[in-house]
Amino acid sequence: MEQTLSIIKPDAVAKNVVGKILDRFESAGLRIAATKKIKLSREDAEAFYAVHAQRPFFKDLVDFMISGPVVVTVLEGKDAMAKNRDLMGATNPKEAAPGTIRADFAESIDANAVHGSDSLENAANEISFFFSQREIC
Ligand code: ATP
Ligand code: MG
């Protein structure tokens, strides 16, 4: 059984499609082990995306991630990390396969609806960034 972290980003929360996106995960056989709606501070977003600190889009990415609340979720199930990445679709929604979350709910590479951990090591770090052990059931 694997766990991975999902973030429903400010654009999708503002569009009121949180339930529709969580349904994609459950319908694909993943379980919600923990979830909460939070507003990231600038420090939170900079730390979370530290790997991209030198990229030209870093400031825009941080500004976007703190522009409104997000919903962070621990997803659990067989191959949860890869399955979530498949459900999300490509980073750029214009390149995302039909039926993926980004194809259906995202507008642009900046406002692309969801984040998902991209390795098991990152998943473990990202889960502990947002959740204490007793919040994960
Ligand atoms: P995420 O980490 O949010 O799940 P991802 O793993 O598909 O997305 P990354 O390469 O990790 O993509 O990029 C992190 C985020 O930075 C992307 O979701 C996107 O919003 C933004 N981003 C990535 N590449 C670009 C780019 N070339 N121009 C603008 N924004 C970008
Ligand atoms: Mg990424």
Side-chain angles (χ1 to χ4, degrees):
M1 204 54 97
E2 238 174 69
Q3 289 184 337
T4 192
L5 185 90
S6 159
I7 304 178
I8 302 178
K9 295 186 180 183
D11 58 321
V13 174
K15 275 188 185 166
N16 211 22
V17 292
V18 170
K20 285 184 174 146
I21 292 175
L22 293 178
D23 178 58
R24 299 284 175 107
F25 302 139
E26 292 186 327
S27 294
L30 297 174
R31 301 184 66 83
I32 294 168
T35 193
K36 61 187 172 190
K37 185 178 192 177
I38 56 174
K39 178 93 166 52
L40 299 181
S41 67
R42 182 168 294 277
E43 293 68 35
D44 289 333
E46 286 177 351
F48 185 79
Y49 276 121
V51 62
H52 295 308
Q54 302 310 319
R55 307 282 285 276
F57 56 80
F58 182 65
K59 183 169 185 304
D60 288 344
L61 175 60
V62 169
D63 286 343
F64 170 65
M65 290 301 288
I66 67 175
S67 66
V70 299
V71 173
V72 290
T73 299
V74 178
L75 297 172
E76 186 175 80
K78 188 169 182 299
D79 301 325
M81 189 276 292
K83 196 177 266 184
N84 179 42
R85 296 289 303 188
D86 286 347
L87 292 169
M88 289 163 58
T91 306
N92 184 347
K94 291 179 179 65
E95 293 162 9
T100 60
I101 293 168
R102 282 168 166 164
D104 291 346
F105 299 114
E107 304 305 326
S108 67
I109 194 165
D110 306 286
N112 62 0
V114 280
H115 161 84
S117 309
D118 60 7
S119 71
L120 286 181
E121 188 189 354
N122 287 343
N125 291 335
E126 292 177 0
I127 288 168
S128 58
F129 185 88
F130 285 113
F131 292 96
S132 66
Q133 228 6 274
R134 71 173 175 197
E135 290 179 294
I136 302 171
C137 307

